[in-house]
Amino acid sequence: MQELRDYYRKRLKWMLAPIVSFAILYRQFAVPAIHNWYHSHGFTFGESWLEGAYSLMIGFFFLAGEWLIRTRLWKLEKPWLNFSGLWEGETKYQVMEKGSDKIDPQTFQPFSSKHEVKIEQDCFSISIKPTDKTFATWYSITMTVRNAEEVAYAYEVKYADETPRFPAKAIGYEQMSVTLRKKGWFGIRKDRPIRLSGTFAHCAEGQTPVYRGNVTFQFQKN
């Protein structure tokens, strides 16, 4: 995430320059002109209201610009770091690390399941939001963009499937790498990732069975 944080700080400085310049010019030229105009026309009210409106306008410009940089502009300028959106995930449970009293690792057969992945991201944070399709609930506890090619996160999942092959709840770790991107401009620049693949592993936490295996995400839409 450090690259996005550095980008945010740099763009915020660029945005502040014209705002500060406008504020100085307004105070130096516009305020005296308004003051003279009011007094030359005999007005004795409304001048302080205009001053307040000016302060609100400056504040609005700053907040709007900050929001635009943090949530939107970076996606246009650094699409190769954009993992946000709705993905279709497929989890392949390939190895049973620990069985339960209802299922024996010796008779285990690998299986897979598909699920929805909703990733929200800005310049300072990235997370998988809770989803209730396939699982009772599934979301990231902590998540980071390691670099343009890799994300990693710890997650908690509560399984909706009440068959013996799932514990009631599990905490796990997934590490995902970019395996496909959209084509960039003229095939030159890197564009946003549209396919991720990696591995996962469950932490037992006293609940069984415990699995590890592979995961793939396919991008669906923003």
Side-chain angles (χ1 to χ4, degrees):
M1 297 295 294
Q2 189 59 47
E3 184 176 347
L4 285 177
R5 294 189 185 101
D6 292 342
Y7 164 85
Y8 170 86
R9 295 185 184 100
K10 182 178 180 180
R11 285 289 178 268
L12 195 64
K13 289 179 181 178
W14 288 10
M15 180 195 73
L16 284 175
I19 291 179
V20 171
S21 298
F22 173 79
I24 293 173
L25 291 173
Y26 182 89
R27 287 293 181 184
Q28 186 172 357
F29 298 105
V31 170
I34 293 173
H35 179 80
N36 291 335
W37 184 86
Y38 260 79
H39 285 275
S40 65
H41 287 75
F43 293 118
T44 59
F45 62 90
E47 191 173 355
S48 59
W49 180 88
L50 283 177
E51 287 290 315
Y54 158 75
S55 299
L56 289 175
M57 180 179 64
I58 295 298
F60 171 79
F61 284 157
F62 173 79
L63 292 175
E66 187 277 336
W67 177 85
L68 186 66
I69 293 169
R70 177 171 47 84
T71 66
R72 295 291 188 272
L73 190 60
W74 71 269
K75 294 180 181 180
L76 298 176
E77 295 197 71
K78 292 186 176 290
W80 54 90
L81 293 173
N82 183 10
F83 295 89
S84 65
L86 192 65
W87 303 69
E88 181 184 65
E90 182 176 12
T91 302
K92 297 180 180 179
Y93 301 84
Q94 295 177 308
V95 178
M96 181 179 286
E97 296 283 10
K98 186 176 181 180
S100 67
D101 57 352
K102 295 182 180 180
I103 185 168
D104 188 344
Q106 300 299 321
T107 61
F108 169 71
Q109 295 292 323
F111 64 97
S112 65
S113 66
K114 292 186 177 181
H115 55 97
E116 181 182 277
V117 183
K118 184 180 180 181
I119 299 178
E120 291 187 359
Q121 182 184 1
D122 62 23
C123 287
F124 289 94
S125 66
I126 180 172
S127 63
I128 296 174
K129 309 310 292 184
T131 55
D132 56 6
K133 295 182 179 179
T134 303
F135 307 125
T137 184
W138 178 74
Y139 58 94
S140 64
I141 300 171
T142 182
M143 188 174 186
T144 187
V145 178
R146 287 183 168 177
N147 51 60
E149 302 300 327
E150 190 176 58
V151 296
Y153 54 91
Y155 65 90
E156 180 176 284
V157 56
K158 294 180 181 178
Y159 289 97
D161 191 337
E162 297 181 357
T163 64
R165 67 182 183 179
F166 287 130
K169 182 184 79 169
I171 288 178
Y173 175 79
E174 292 187 7
Q175 186 170 304
M176 309 287 286
S177 298
V178 177
T179 55
L180 185 65
R181 294 181 180 275
K182 290 176 66 176
K183 291 183 179 180
W185 297 339
F186 308 107
I188 298 175
R189 59 173 262 176
K190 293 187 295 184
D191 214 328
R192 68 158 298 146
I194 56 174
R195 187 183 299 149
L196 308 175
S197 64
T199 59
F200 82 92
H202 281 168
C203 302
E205 282 202 314
Q207 298 195 41
T208 56
V210 177
Y211 297 101
R212 63 180 169 88
N214 293 333
V215 185
T216 59
F217 290 173
Q218 183 67 45
F219 180 72
Q220 301 296 306
K221 61 181 180 179
N222 290 312

